[in-house]
Amino acid sequence: MNDNILFQKIKDRDRAAFDTLFKQYYSQLCRFAYSITLSEQDAEENIQDIFVSFWQKMSSLDIEISLKAF
């Protein structure tokens, strides 16, 4: 699914779209966070917190470039 469509569905509070986003980016983001924290547990917790915050603030977010860049 195209990121722009996915983003719009998430803005409409589509839980399945959010789950798709999570599955699509979670591992990649955890690897990136691990390169900074050097702790697998800290990396996973940080990324989970980001996804929770993303869901909570979705209606006020305006992503113009791409979800990946965001």
Side-chain angles (χ1 to χ4, degrees):
M1 181 179 301
N2 176 311
D3 277 356
N4 293 332
I5 294 170
L6 194 59
F7 175 65
Q8 188 55 52
K9 286 184 176 203
I10 294 169
K11 280 191 87 155
D12 293 337
R13 306 306 267 176
D14 183 326
R15 180 61 191 244
F18 182 79
D19 290 344
T20 299
L21 176 80
F22 183 85
K23 290 175 186 173
Q24 186 172 341
Y25 288 106
Y26 180 75
S27 294
Q28 180 180 347
L29 290 170
C30 282
R31 284 191 301 273
F32 176 73
Y34 177 79
S35 73
I36 296 168
T37 65
L38 301 178
S39 166
E40 189 173 325
Q41 182 177 354
D42 288 345
E44 290 178 359
E45 287 178 12
N46 287 327
I47 298 306
Q48 290 170 6
D49 288 346
I50 288 169
F51 273 102
V52 168
S53 179
F54 183 74
W55 179 256
Q56 292 172 339
K57 297 176 182 179
M58 191 67 221
S59 61
S60 64
L61 295 177
D62 190 22
I63 300 173
E64 297 178 9
I65 301 171
S66 73
L67 284 172
K68 189 172 183 176
F70 178 75

